[in-house]
Amino acid sequence: MARVIMQAVVSVDGFIAYPDDSVGPLFDWYFNGDTELRATASGWTFPVSQTSAAYVQPFWDAVKVTVIGRHLFDTTNGWDGKPAAGDELVVITHRPLPDEWLAAHPDAPFHTAGSVEEGIALAKELAGDGLVDVTAGDIGGQAFSAGLVDEVGMDVVPVVLGEGVRFFGSHTGTVLLDDPDQVVQGDRVLHLHFTVRR
């Protein structure tokens, strides 16, 4: 059965972007090393530290399906039809994807769902025994609040943004996580992994 992880790069004070969706220094660690990190589906490469590559590459390779919201889809233009991670992508949206985008990317392995619950169920079906990566922020927070997230992955960057898009979106309330089972210090980033306590 597929596992669902909520994951993102995050500031020390819990933000994944500024209010205008820009990431400022959060992604600097993607460009500060000499070891290639490759996103297989998109073909993107990033020169990161050897330590970060050794942690992130197996994670990216394990992702089968990514779940995002319509806002991220629109902000990134759906990554031009190539999932940032995994073989397929599920967009949570109440509107159909734009006709012009669909025409430009007829073979894009993208699916839509009308709710977080429906989207996670579809992603798990598509992923089989693989990993489902739900992006942090509003959609991830909804999935987390609904008890649909099994794991939390955070790439914590040593910066305080002060405001912006919260890692856990609008989630409120206490949820216990197990102790971190992975703590990896990269160059200007700390990789953390937790399992949600059931």
Side-chain angles (χ1 to χ4, degrees):
M1 174 179 282
R3 300 176 346 265
V4 177
I5 185 169
M6 179 178 169
Q7 189 275 335
V9 178
V10 61
S11 67
V12 171
D13 55 342
F15 297 108
I16 59 173
Y18 285 114
D20 67 358
D21 296 319
S22 63
V23 295
L26 288 177
F27 286 5
D28 287 356
W29 67 274
Y30 279 125
F31 305 98
N32 70 356
D34 57 7
T35 303
E36 183 178 274
L37 176 62
R38 175 175 288 279
T40 306
S42 66
W44 300 336
T45 60
F46 304 94
V48 300
S49 71
Q50 185 175 10
T51 302
S52 286
Y55 172 80
V56 176
Q57 191 68 65
F59 165 68
W60 281 4
D61 291 346
V63 173
K64 299 301 179 199
V65 181
T66 297
V67 179
I68 68 171
R70 181 58 183 265
H71 181 75
L72 184 56
F73 174 88
D74 290 342
T75 301
T76 63
N77 190 39
W79 294 299
D80 294 324
K82 298 175 184 171
D87 302 321
E88 302 191 63
L89 190 138
V90 175
V91 183
I92 309 298
T93 181
H94 299 293
R95 297 173 284 134
L97 300 183
D99 289 337
E100 60 276 9
W101 187 91
L102 292 169
H105 309 289
D107 298 323
F110 284 41
H111 311 269
T112 58
S115 69
V116 168
E117 292 81 4
E118 180 186 329
I120 295 293
L122 174 59
K124 289 175 79 169
E125 179 181 328
L126 293 169
D129 291 334
L131 189 63
V132 172
D133 180 19
V134 59
T135 55
D138 184 49
I139 293 299
Q142 289 179 45
F144 191 78
S145 292
L148 302 173
V149 173
D150 303 307
E151 305 169 17
V152 174
M154 305 175 102
D155 300 313
V156 183
V157 174
V159 62
V160 175
L161 296 186
E163 62 178 343
V165 180
R166 294 179 60 224
F167 183 94
F168 287 99
S170 60
H171 173 78
T172 59
T174 302
V175 175
L176 291 178
L177 309 177
D178 286 336
D179 288 339
D181 52 51
Q182 294 182 16
V183 179
V184 177
Q185 183 176 341
D187 183 1
R188 301 293 298 158
V189 62
L190 180 65
H191 306 288
L192 300 173
H193 179 273
F194 305 88
T195 299
V196 178
R197 187 173 287 181
R198 301 282 188 215

